[in-house]
Amino acid sequence: MLLTGSISDFIKEKKEPSSLKEFRSKAEKILSEITFPNSSLESWRKISLSNFKISEYTNVCPDSAVSFSDSPGAKISKLEELPAEKLSEVLKKAEASLSFYSKEWFPSFVFSNFTHAYYIQLSSSDGVPEIKINCEQGNIILPLLIIEAPSNAKVSFLERWISPSQKDLVLMSGVTVLITPSNGDFQYSSVENLGDSTFHFRATHSVQGNDSKFHASIASWGGYKGKSFYDSVVAGKGCWTRYAGLSPLKAREFQDTEVRILHSESHAQSSILYRTVVREKAHHVFTGNLHIPSHCKDVGAVQINNNLLLDRTARAESIPKLEVFAESVKCEHGATVGEIDEEQLFYLASRGINESEARKMIVEGFLAEVVREFPSESIREELGSMIESRMLGE
């Protein structure tokens, strides 16, 4: 699958330092050897891309499509504007992610053809710095973000993706590299609010050092078709890793979410809690991957996926995958798919609560545990309003 001419021209017009061009070239070489996703590939067997043609996405979103909140807790730089020595250091860290996704087409496509690229250095716990990626002007955006937390400090960051509903399809595909050094404490949040004409493909790659904490809270809704990888390489001893996510889908929305936690050191803990509510003809697929090699000891891992169907035509699939080769570990997994319990509705009706209000209480209660894990009250209130309007509105 060839690169569209307009994106190629867009990249050529950018005045980038030689090291950044070399990085693109490495990624392009990797991309040339990768098969485009199809149903024969395990991670892509649930999503059909028969109507996806990269040649249709030629209008690159402008620089203004990426904006930041004003926060003293984050220093934000375009990659091409970093000093040569710093850029070399940052790209070396990004190369680990490039190698990690060396068999995945969409992340490699972003690494070779990113349209917007930023290095974000977090420094303090003052508020929640935020980046907003908005695909309103143009039909393609390919952001590359490299976000680094400090040692010996607790920090938060919010990544927000937005697109409108419109007649023509748009493509949003990005890679986010998250670095938590030894003794760091990083709470990362992602909120996607996408229009029904958006193809969305994302890869989020987290790497942790010794005795670090990484917490990801994820909320994703809307879109036409999408596949998201959330990957954690737990590379240090004594690490704590947590993913909490929710997806309230409706209409004909399709979303495929895959969380992969790869332990490589002993004395670590990880957990996943992902909940979806699906109505009308929407379809969600969740895959949880856990890998613990034989040399790891004293590792605990929990993986839970719960799905609530509001209509008989809605679909939710749960695919747990555990590759545990070590002996001194404790692992748990569980998955549920079901409708609203009629006994719950009856109980609430017996307390004078009408069916509409009862359904609202059940849906909100089902997702509340995940909502509480987001770092600010304003985000939690936003999610509460969204859940009510999407899941209980007309």
Side-chain angles (χ1 to χ4, degrees), residues 64-295:
S64 58
V66 179
S67 60
F68 297 87
S69 63
D70 186 15
S71 173
K75 182 180 179 182
I76 299 156
S77 307
K78 290 185 177 180
L79 283 192
E80 62 264 32
E81 295 177 358
L82 286 171
E85 186 175 345
K86 184 64 177 178
L87 177 59
S88 178
E89 175 190 323
V90 171
L91 290 179
K92 186 176 181 180
K93 294 174 181 178
E95 283 188 7
S97 299
L98 173 61
S99 176
F100 183 88
Y101 291 116
S102 61
K103 295 183 180 180
E104 283 293 344
W105 195 91
F106 279 102
S108 297
F109 182 67
V110 173
F111 278 123
S112 58
N113 301 292
F114 52 83
T115 58
H116 303 69
Y118 290 88
Y119 171 63
I120 302 164
Q121 191 167 22
L122 304 177
S123 59
S124 72
S125 58
D126 294 338
V128 182
E130 176 181 329
I131 184 173
K132 183 183 294 183
I133 300 162
N134 194 336
C135 192
E136 286 187 351
Q137 301 177 47
N139 70 355
I140 182 170
I141 188 166
L142 308 170
L144 170 60
L145 308 177
I146 302 167
I147 307 172
E148 187 165 10
S151 296
N152 302 306
K154 184 175 183 178
V155 293
S156 299
F157 190 81
L158 171 63
E159 184 175 348
R160 188 184 293 273
W161 289 60
I162 300 172
S163 67
S165 293
Q166 57 188 46
K167 179 181 177 182
D168 298 322
L169 292 168
V170 302
L171 170 61
M172 301 183 79
S173 183
V175 174
T176 302
V177 179
L178 303 166
I179 302 165
T180 309
S182 296
N183 299 301
D185 189 342
F186 186 6
Q187 180 162 11
Y188 165 80
S189 300
S190 174
V191 174
E192 294 181 350
N193 179 3
L194 305 176
D196 59 13
S197 51
T198 301
F199 275 110
H200 53 112
F201 306 103
R202 289 190 59 192
T204 302
H205 187 219
S206 164
V207 180
Q208 291 180 249
N210 290 339
D211 299 309
S212 64
K213 293 182 178 181
F214 175 75
H215 182 287
S217 44
I218 302 158
S220 179
W221 65 92
Y224 170 52
K225 289 182 182 179
K227 171 75 180 183
S228 297
F229 292 104
Y230 296 96
D231 295 300
S232 267
V233 178
V234 188
K237 291 183 179 180
C239 288
W240 181 89
T241 307
R242 169 71 168 173
Y243 280 84
L246 61 88
S247 292
L249 304 182
K250 66 176 185 176
R252 293 181 177 271
E253 296 165 357
F254 177 93
Q255 186 169 299
D256 189 324
T257 304
E258 188 161 352
V259 181
R260 302 184 287 199
I261 299 181
L262 311 177
H263 287 269
S264 61
E265 287 289 353
S266 300
H267 312 297
Q269 303 290 319
S270 69
S271 62
I272 302 169
L273 173 63
Y274 207 99
R275 288 185 173 168
T276 66
V277 180
V278 192
R279 61 179 289 195
E280 298 166 345
K281 295 185 178 181
H283 184 184
H284 188 272
V285 178
F286 175 82
T287 304
N289 275 285
L290 173 67
H291 179 82
I292 305 176
S294 58
H295 68 271

Side-chain angles (χ1 to χ4, degrees), residues 5-17:
S6 63
I7 298 179
S8 180
D9 294 339
F10 174 83
I11 293 170
K12 288 177 181 177
E13 291 175 1
K14 295 172 74 69
K15 296 179 179 180
E16 295 182 338

